[in-house]
Amino acid sequence: MSALLSSLNPLAVARGDDVPDAVRIDGHTLSRSDLLGAATAVAARVARAERVAVLATPTASTIVAVVGALLAGVTVVPVPPDSGPAERAHILNDSGAQAWLGAAPESDDAVPQLPVIAVRLHARDWHALPEPDPARIAFVLYTSGTTGAPKGVLLSRRAIAAGIDALAEAWDWTSRDILVHGLPLFHVHGLILGVLGPLRVGSRLIHTGKPTPQAYAEARGTLYFGVPTVWSRVVEDEASARALRGARLLVSGSAPLPVPVFERLRELTGLTPIERYGMSETMLTLSTRADGERRPGWVGTPVRGVETRLRDEHGADMPHDGESIGVLQVRGPMLFDGYLNRPDATAESRTDDGWFVTGDVAVIDPGGFHRIVGRESTDLIKSGGFRVGAGEIETVLLGHPAVREVAVVGVPDDDLGQRIVAFVVPRPGGPEVDEEELVNLVAQQLSVHKRPREVRVVQDLPRNAMGKVQKKLLLG
Ligand code: MLC
Ligand code: AMP
């Protein structure tokens, strides 16, 4: 295999093999040569930077920016387009991004002002660029922890290449596929698997803007990606679900796929969904296979190069008997290099013998099949497939004069998996609690997808003898 293919050449095809509709997104159709020419032109402009921010709107410009930076070996910091000033300022300050590559968000005093390097969709440059070192960091992806501000996950080119190649093998994903999804372009799911995946494998990509059932039905792809909320909505729209019958694989991940949705999807589409499991820190480590068993409620076996084990709270090995529950630890070539500027958190995330501690609780059966039971901490919430830390929302709400105390939890929700609910104790003598105002505060300061869907006013929060809030009691 050439050096280009063995690390991360997201375009991964010979120049002669042009594909006229390699990428369709936001009304644009880009051929492979369009993309290569425009991205190489970006690479020439960005080459002197170390790290750049990309406002990750679902557009052709975002894809050209990302590919251009990758060709140049420059690290990309994707910034959620709906992020508010507090979250954006944190991402820009912490990452040390030197410029916006492509559009900058509207200016805001709270956010560092950076120069803008333009991305021109119609520019073309055909210089062949040397392949950057596979150890270079391709992305800093910001992801929530249980407390504090989001941490920057460092993903190397080598890890991404290994991660994509392992999935291509598990899913029999080839250049004959047409991948369809409408996921955001600032996460592992939508950006790394959903954009770099097809570019590396050589399949076509149709990005639908939003992941609506109708858009999925109209796209007529062979391979579909969605978070469980997307699949729940698809099965509610029978006509759209039936239109997916011609596809090859429907893949679900980023959160647990409810068994009734799995079953209904199978009934309506004739296809048994593939479930896979991953994290920003690990890319995808477990999946059911195109040629293997697909069991509702289970996420399959380790993909190529991955090993897993279960540990109890004292660090002892748990048996793989399909019943014993332990914390899942993983290792493999697609794991991250660490958290940016957080040696403490990086060290804590791994065991002394080098395994990554996922924080997910799982069982493994004797055949190596994995079931994710839940998360160890109630403070990490998955809502619509987005990972949200209770702590970051609590910090914002505590800044409001009406709030004396607050506890944020993820309450089970048929559509979103978990719905973010804020339990608020009003400040005596303060202004009255206005639910909409608190929801908007989070939507505006952090990001729209982190907003509570509900605010409940309570007189006090349940606490244990040590004074710690007992969030489990708020879930009932
Ligand atoms: C509502 N809106 C507001 C608002 N309330 N805007 C401002 N302020 C408020 N208070 C607007 C939004 O801007 C949006 O507008 C519209 O309302 C709906 O927003 P929403 O309610 O957030 O959308 P919803 O339909 O609930 O989203 C569902 C979803 C989304 C499935 C589309 O949750 C989603 O895209 N999830 C994917 C998450 C994902 O990719 N995770 C991968 C993590 S990687 P408008 O105009 O924009 O519609 C990972 C690794 C792995 O986990 O394993 O994959
Ligand atoms: P993120 O960092 O956004 O990638 O979120 C990672 C988390 O999503 C994991 O730690 C799991 O809790 C959850 N997750 C991802 N895929 C699945 C899945 N198939 N089933 C259950 N949980 C999942």
Side-chain angles (χ1 to χ4, degrees):
M1 202 190 276
S2 77
L4 280 181
L5 291 173
S6 62
S7 65
L8 180 72
N9 169 19
L11 298 177
V13 285
R15 284 200 194 160
D17 296 348
D18 203 5
V19 177
D21 52 353
V23 175
R24 283 177 25 207
I25 187 165
D26 86 297
H28 291 272
T29 300
L30 303 177
S31 68
R32 273 189 170 259
S33 59
D34 288 339
L35 186 49
L36 185 61
T40 306
V42 166
R45 278 200 298 279
V46 79
R48 271 181 296 165
E50 179 73 22
R51 210 174 274 162
V52 292
V54 173
L55 192 66
T57 49
T59 57
S61 168
T62 295
I63 293 183
V64 169
V66 167
V67 175
L70 287 176
L71 290 175
V74 173
T75 303
V76 173
V77 183
V79 178
D82 67 344
S83 54
E87 186 156 318
R88 220 157 54 215
H90 168 68
I91 294 175
L92 296 181
N93 286 324
D94 187 64
S95 69
Q98 295 145 316
W100 286 104
L101 182 56
E106 279 167 28
S107 73
D108 191 309
D109 291 345
V111 175
Q113 303 299 303
L114 299 179
V116 173
I117 303 171
V119 169
R120 299 192 188 96
L121 287 186
H122 299 290
R124 296 290 180 268
D125 184 336
W126 302 112
H127 282 93
L129 298 167
E131 178 71 9
D133 181 349
R136 278 191 78 89
I137 298 302
F139 292 98
V140 187
L141 292 186
Y142 277 83
T143 194
S144 299
T146 50
T147 56
K151 299 190 285 284
V153 169
L154 300 170
L155 284 175
S156 71
R157 303 170 69 88
R158 181 163 44 210
I160 291 171
I164 293 171
D165 292 350
L167 293 175
E169 194 260 337
W171 300 340
D172 200 10
W173 182 4
T174 71
S175 59
R176 292 185 300 281
D177 278 307
I178 302 173
L179 172 66
V180 176
H181 71 89
L183 298 168
L185 300 189
F186 47 89
H187 282 307
V188 159
H189 199 165
L191 178 62
I192 296 186
L193 313 178
V195 173
L196 300 192
L199 295 179
R200 183 168 175 88
V201 169
S203 64
R204 284 176 280 168
L205 166 64
I206 299 176
H207 191 283
T208 60
K210 290 271 172 188
T212 62
Q214 299 81 355
Y216 274 35
E218 280 163 19
R220 305 276 163 193
T222 63
L223 176 61
Y224 283 80
F225 289 173
V227 295
T229 301
V230 170
W231 297 121
S232 307
R233 293 178 185 184
V234 164
V235 299
E236 293 295 313
D237 176 348
E238 287 193 18
S240 295
R242 288 185 204 284
L244 301 181
R245 284 189 160 263
R248 188 174 71 80
L249 288 182
L250 309 180
V251 182
S252 178
S254 302
L257 183 66
V259 171
V261 178
F262 181 108
E263 304 285 13
R264 190 74 182 125
L265 208 47
R266 181 156 58 184
E267 261 170 55
L268 291 171
T269 65
L271 299 164
T272 308
I274 289 274
E275 279 189 81
R276 89 309 176 278
Y277 159 87
M279 292 182 75
S280 305
E281 290 89 337
T282 65
M283 307 232 326
L284 301 199
T285 48
L286 299 167
S287 184
T288 54
R289 299 178 55 89
D291 62 359
E293 186 195 357
R294 301 177 210 169
R295 196 187 301 170
W298 294 70
V299 295
T301 53
V303 299
R304 192 170 65 199
V306 170
E307 294 169 276
T308 58
R309 68 184 189 189
L310 293 180
R311 290 281 157 119
D312 71 8
E313 64 271 30
H314 309 294
D317 260 322
M318 302 291 288
H320 297 184
D321 57 9
E323 286 173 11
S324 301
I325 297 178
V327 176
L328 181 67
Q329 300 187 354
V330 298
R331 63 180 183 191
M334 59 291 282
L335 263 56
F336 74 139
D337 281 25
Y339 298 108
L340 182 66
N341 305 326
R342 295 294 305 274
D344 52 334
T346 303
E348 246 173 60
S349 70
R350 288 191 201 243
T351 62
D352 291 343
D353 54 349
W355 293 69
F356 177 74
V357 183
T358 63
D360 288 304
V361 177
V363 300
I364 306 179
D365 82 2
F369 246 64
H370 292 60
R371 182 164 69 83
I372 306 297
V373 176
R375 280 206 69 88
E376 240 183 331
S377 167
T378 46
D379 283 333
L380 261 195
I381 301 168
K382 265 271 154 152
S383 189
F386 286 114
R387 173 167 152 187
V388 183
E392 54 184 323
I393 301 176
E394 288 163 356
T395 303
V396 169
L397 292 177
L398 280 172
H400 191 282
V403 178
R404 188 178 76 179
E405 289 179 279
V406 61
V408 168
V409 294
V411 168
D413 185 275
D414 285 345
D415 179 48
L416 296 168
Q418 289 183 306
R419 177 171 81 253
I420 302 173
V421 177
F423 289 81
V424 168
V425 179
R427 177 175 296 286
E432 206 172 314
V433 173
D434 177 332
E435 171 166 358
E436 200 181 316
E437 202 173 298
L438 295 185
V439 169
N440 288 338
L441 181 69
V442 178
Q444 282 154 19
Q445 285 299 309
L446 298 180
S447 43
V448 172
H449 64 263
K450 291 184 177 171
R451 72 190 187 277
R453 302 289 170 131
E454 212 183 300
V455 173
R456 294 191 202 162
V457 177
V458 290
Q459 285 324 302
D460 43 43
L461 297 172
R463 292 181 187 274
N464 64 14
M466 311 290 289
K468 187 173 173 352
V469 176
Q470 295 189 287
K471 291 198 172 175
K472 290 212 166 93
L473 297 179
L474 296 171
L475 297 174

